Amino acid sequence: NAGVTQTPKFQVLKTGQSMTLQCAQDMNHNSMYWYRQDPGMGLRLIYYSASEGTTDKGEVPNGYNVSRLNKREFSLRLESAAPSQTSVYFCASSTRGPGSGANVLTFGAGSRLTVL
Amino acid sequence: QQPVQSPQAVILREGEDAVINCSSSKALYSVHWYRQKHGEAPVFLMILLKGGEQKGHEKISASFNEKKQQSSLYLTASQLSYSGTYFCGTAQETSGSRLTFGEGTQLTVNP
């Protein structure tokens, strides 16, 4: 099983450019998440999708949009990239929903994004 | 609200023990522990639910004191493979509470 697959692994953008990070999971999980990881700040939730057809904002949603394309796929879009969005982005999925308190996350390998 | 982890970093020799702490100012429903090796994705270690239980995973165990809103991760007889950054994630005792991660503790085990 592949688990959670993210593409691309690396991307360099210029300020103002747009891009989409793709995420797919093959574990039949209901919930999917996008986190960003910055040095010394742990993992911060950008957006999540508790189930197919729903999306909600996390801690740091500004500058991002998401689409839950189907149960397997959850994409993250940067419409106009800014240097502050330079980060490592992780997609994750879980069987249980984010409000259960018991949602064990399976993470993808990460996407390193640099905005110049 | 982000939990607070301590210490921020620890360096051990192989075979030594370590304790990583995680505390919150809010009442907690659960505490999750993840380990991330350099350049890799975080990997789930264990989850502790309200009830003050202790769990173990080989020589890594954890406790959860719900009254103090604290959890501790115990690494016994550390191995080189234990090196990495350890994150605790906490879910508060309110309905619909999402997981919030601490800043991480960097553990280095040297030969």
Side-chain angles (χ1 to χ4, degrees):
Chain A
N1 284 342
V4 179
T5 303
Q6 292 181 230
T7 56
K9 292 190 185 308
F10 301 94
Q11 184 73 49
V12 179
L13 293 177
K14 294 182 179 179
T15 298
Q17 288 185 319
S18 62
M19 77 157 299
T20 300
L21 298 176
Q22 307 285 356
C23 177
Q25 52 92 11
D26 61 2
M27 297 172 287
N28 201 36
H29 283 173
N30 294 314
S31 302
M32 298 185 73
Y33 314 77
W34 277 104
Y35 286 88
R36 61 177 289 173
Q37 184 175 38
D38 303 293
M41 299 191 74
L43 294 151
R44 292 184 293 169
L45 183 63
I46 304 171
Y47 269 94
Y48 65 97
S49 171
S51 60
E52 186 178 356
T54 69
T55 59
D56 283 289
K57 296 178 180 179
E59 303 167 60
V60 288
N62 291 344
Y64 305 96
N65 286 302
V66 291
S67 295
R68 183 75 182 266
L69 305 171
N70 48 56
K71 189 171 185 178
R72 291 186 62 248
E73 299 172 288
F74 188 39
S75 63
L76 178 72
R77 183 163 178 82
L78 288 72
E79 291 291 351
S80 179
S84 61
Q85 293 178 304
T86 294
S87 188
V88 180
Y89 292 84
F90 287 99
C91 177
S93 67
S94 67
T95 299
R96 295 190 184 189
S100 74
N103 52 321
V104 174
L105 302 175
T106 300
F107 286 89
S111 299
R112 184 174 294 274
L113 175 66
T114 301
V115 183
L116 303 175
Chain B
Q1 184 163 358
Q2 187 177 33
V4 177
Q5 288 186 234
S6 63
Q8 288 187 319
V10 59
I11 300 174
L12 301 173
R13 287 196 178 275
E14 207 172 359
E16 292 181 337
D17 302 339
V19 180
I20 300 172
N21 300 303
C22 175
S23 64
S24 174
S25 60
K26 303 286 187 181
L28 298 176
Y29 173 74
S30 65
V31 179
H32 305 222
W33 286 98
Y34 287 78
R35 177 172 64 201
Q36 183 181 30
K37 293 186 180 288
H38 183 69
E40 299 181 6
V43 174
F44 172 75
L45 291 177
M46 63 189 78
I47 180 174
L48 300 101
L49 301 177
K50 191 173 77 167
E53 63 181 292
Q54 183 152 354
K55 280 199 168 183
H57 176 72
E58 295 182 342
K59 293 182 180 178
I60 300 175
S61 62
S63 63
F64 177 24
N65 186 323
E66 62 185 275
K67 290 183 179 179
K68 293 185 177 180
Q69 292 106 242
Q70 292 177 349
S71 177
S72 294
L73 185 71
Y74 306 94
L75 299 102
T76 305
S78 60
Q79 305 170 15
L80 297 177
S81 62
Y82 287 2
S83 292
T85 302
Y86 289 78
F87 293 98
C88 72
T90 56
Q92 294 176 18
E93 201 178 33
T94 54
S95 63
S97 174
R98 300 188 301 266
L99 201 60
T100 304
F101 286 93
E103 294 182 0
T105 296
Q106 188 169 349
L107 179 76
T108 303
V109 181
N110 292 320

